[in-house]
Amino acid sequence: MIRIFPRSIRARLTTVATLVAALVFITTSAITLAAVPGSLRTAVRTDLETAVGWVAEQARTGRLPAQLNTPSSLQLLQVVSPQGQVLAATPGRPLEPRLTTIRPRNPGVAHVTEHLLHHATDARHHHCMVMAMLVRTPEGPVTVYGAASLDRVNTVLGRLRALVFLGTPLILLGVAGVTWMIVGSALRPVERIRSVLAEISGKDLSRRVPVPDTGDEITDLAVTANTTLDRLERSAETQRRFVADASHELRSPISGLRTQLELAAAYPDETDWPAAGARALESVERLTGIVDELLMLARLDTGVAAERRVVDVCDLVREQVRRRAGGRVAIAAPPCPPAPVLGSPLQLDRLLTNLLDNATRHAAGRVEVVVEEDRDEVVITITDDGAGIAPEDRERIFERFVRLEEARALDKGGTGLGLPLSREIAVAHGGRLVLTDHRPGARFVVRLPLCPD
């Protein structure tokens, strides 16, 4: 495929600017060359007609002087009899022969032609516009002649043509050069940004592109690039920390399971196999829980959309309370009307499971779950009567693998993924999960968009 314009933005803009300038200059030059010559000749003819008309009026009234007062814009004025005798003329040239052989027949009508006339004072020939007009006088008809030099007009037109045909290419070259320099100067920050971005690798995301102080779109581009690099650096750091924490959390149950199996294999006769199997099963269940939560977090992080349908949150809460009946902590769930939301039943059930597990783990003896509608939202409130969480830790508990000292003391097998996963699920469903003030204990509030009928 043939390219009309070059690939480089700098070259393309220079080409376009030069073509536009060429179109403007060519159009303007054509209009100028077409209009200026006629305008200049019209001005000369107007002066000539004025002077000839003035002399003709003097001759008509019989007040014709021997020497005619000639304007500086004219070369010569003459009044000639029908016999060819010069009756009056411009001072200093009274004996000139008639300017032209034109003999107009209609009185008062001007006849115009152009001639080369010899000027005695400077021995030069002048290109002149010559006008003749027949006038009736008391002594008989006479012919008034006038001559205006076109040398100045020709000089102006010559300079104009030279300016057009020689100056236009020079101007276009100047436009191209200035455009090339201006565009190059404007794109120089882009080149610096590109070179820095080319040097940034996944191993070192701490570098940032230079931000020019021009305040234009390139500044916005640099700021956006640095913002993106900030997000990438945070994401990479979160991923590295996530992998390190996941490896650490998985190492403990795997090491415990391996130790148990190695001891059982080393002393088979002294091993209580049912107890060893139960302990191994607990370790496997903990591993399964960690892996399931990691997989769900990974899906949420990558934006994989789960199958969604209308889910009644009240049904999910009732099922959770039914499964936990008879436990250490009493769970109270007041009756609630249908609260439909559009979401994944599996993920919403995991959200409630994690929040209720956390509440029952910290509660002294009672947990309350309330579901209600607030305008266009379904609000789920889970309150326990435990020791509560310090204000400075209320956001930390939603970070992955973060476990407070109290949580570690209450449950050594926790993963630190339950609350972060719950918040991710709420956000993925267009809602939010927060920890609000409550005494005693803690209160988690989930807000999800209400699904209309």
Side-chain angles (χ1 to χ4, degrees), residues 55-66:
V55 174
E57 182 63 24
Q58 287 183 318
R60 187 179 299 112
T61 57
R63 295 178 298 173
L64 184 69

Side-chain angles (χ1 to χ4, degrees), residues 65-346:
Q67 293 186 346
L68 302 178
N69 186 14
T70 304
S72 59
S73 58
L74 271 63
Q75 292 289 110
L76 178 66
L77 287 173
Q78 279 185 345
V79 179
V80 182
S81 67
Q83 295 76 26
Q85 181 183 0
V86 178
L87 302 177
T90 299
R93 304 181 66 181
L95 302 178
E96 288 282 345
R98 69 172 66 202
L99 296 178
T100 179
T101 58
I102 295 177
R103 294 184 178 182
R105 297 181 180 180
N106 299 322
V109 179
H111 295 268
V112 181
T113 184
E114 294 184 11
H115 285 296
L116 285 176
L117 299 181
H118 178 75
H119 200 304
T121 57
D122 56 11
R124 291 173 54 194
H125 286 82
H126 297 271
H127 182 208
C128 295
M129 179 183 292
V130 179
M131 179 177 291
M133 179 182 294
L134 181 63
V135 181
R136 297 187 184 278
T137 68
E139 289 79 15
V142 296
T143 302
V144 179
Y145 293 99
S149 175
L150 293 176
D151 291 343
R152 184 176 299 177
V153 173
N154 294 333
T155 301
V156 172
L157 292 179
R159 292 176 179 176
L160 180 62
R161 293 188 181 97
L163 177 64
V164 169
F165 293 108
L166 297 179
T168 298
L170 296 177
I171 293 175
L172 293 180
L173 288 176
V175 169
V178 171
T179 305
W180 180 268
M181 289 187 295
I182 292 176
V183 175
S185 176
L187 293 179
R188 196 170 296 118
V190 177
E191 175 60 25
R192 289 197 293 266
I193 293 173
R194 186 205 63 79
S195 61
V196 173
L197 287 176
E199 296 174 358
I200 295 176
S201 63
K203 296 181 179 179
D204 181 17
L205 294 174
S206 61
R207 295 189 61 184
R208 296 294 179 265
V209 300
V211 179
D213 57 357
T214 54
D216 54 11
E217 290 82 357
I218 298 179
T219 300
D220 297 338
L221 173 64
V223 171
T224 303
N226 286 336
T227 302
T228 302
L229 289 173
D230 290 338
R231 289 199 301 266
L232 289 176
E233 185 179 18
R234 288 195 300 268
S235 177
E237 180 62 29
T238 301
Q239 183 178 8
R240 284 193 292 266
R241 188 172 63 251
F242 181 77
V243 171
D245 292 340
S247 301
H248 175 74
E249 292 294 330
L250 290 174
R251 186 182 297 113
S252 297
I254 291 175
S255 299
L257 179 59
R258 180 174 182 176
T259 300
Q260 295 172 21
L261 294 178
E262 287 178 348
L263 287 174
Y267 305 99
D269 296 334
E270 301 177 6
T271 300
D272 184 355
W273 287 103
R279 290 193 298 271
L281 184 59
E282 290 177 359
S283 298
V284 171
E285 288 179 350
R286 184 184 175 193
L287 283 172
T288 303
I290 294 175
V291 172
D292 289 343
E293 291 181 338
L294 287 175
L295 288 176
M296 188 171 291
L297 280 170
R299 293 192 185 99
L300 293 173
D301 287 341
T302 56
V304 176
E307 181 181 356
R308 298 191 177 188
R309 58 184 177 85
V310 178
V311 180
D312 188 351
V313 176
C314 286
D315 289 343
L316 294 180
V317 171
R318 282 194 291 268
E319 178 61 23
Q320 287 282 344
V321 174
R322 186 192 63 79
R323 291 202 302 258
R324 298 170 186 272
R328 180 185 68 86
V329 177
I331 300 178
C336 61
V341 298
L342 183 63
S344 166
L346 178 63

